Amino acid sequence: MATESYEADQNTTRTEAAGELQRLLGGIFRRLDGPTAERLLLAVRAELDARDARAYASGWQDAMEAAAGGERAV
């Protein structure tokens, strides 16, 4: 039961943070001209994609370590 409550709190926190980020970026984009806003949006997207790629690679690394019995290749 405590785990469900924790997960619900985490989901609420993530949703609130996402809303705050969306409002912040929206305010910034409204103040920039079109091409500048587009470059900023592309930079944000590139960073998010890079973070996703690092998380994906890390997940594979963790899976390989677990499959090898926790031994790390040197």
Side-chain angles (χ1 to χ4, degrees):
M1 302 301 164
T3 302
E4 291 173 4
S5 175
Y6 174 78
E7 290 174 359
D9 289 343
Q10 289 292 356
N11 288 337
T12 300
T13 300
R14 286 187 195 113
T15 301
E16 290 171 356
E20 289 176 27
L21 179 60
Q22 186 176 11
R23 284 189 294 278
L24 174 66
L25 288 175
I28 292 170
F29 290 139
R30 282 191 294 279
R31 289 170 177 78
L32 298 173
D33 63 356
T36 303
E38 186 174 338
R39 285 193 303 269
L40 178 59
L41 185 59
L42 289 173
V44 169
R45 171 52 48 201
E47 176 61 24
L48 292 174
D49 289 345
R51 288 177 184 217
D52 282 347
R54 285 192 300 269
Y56 182 76
S58 178
W60 271 106
Q61 182 180 8
D62 292 346
M64 295 302 291
E65 287 176 10
E71 296 177 14
R72 191 161 241 232
V74 180

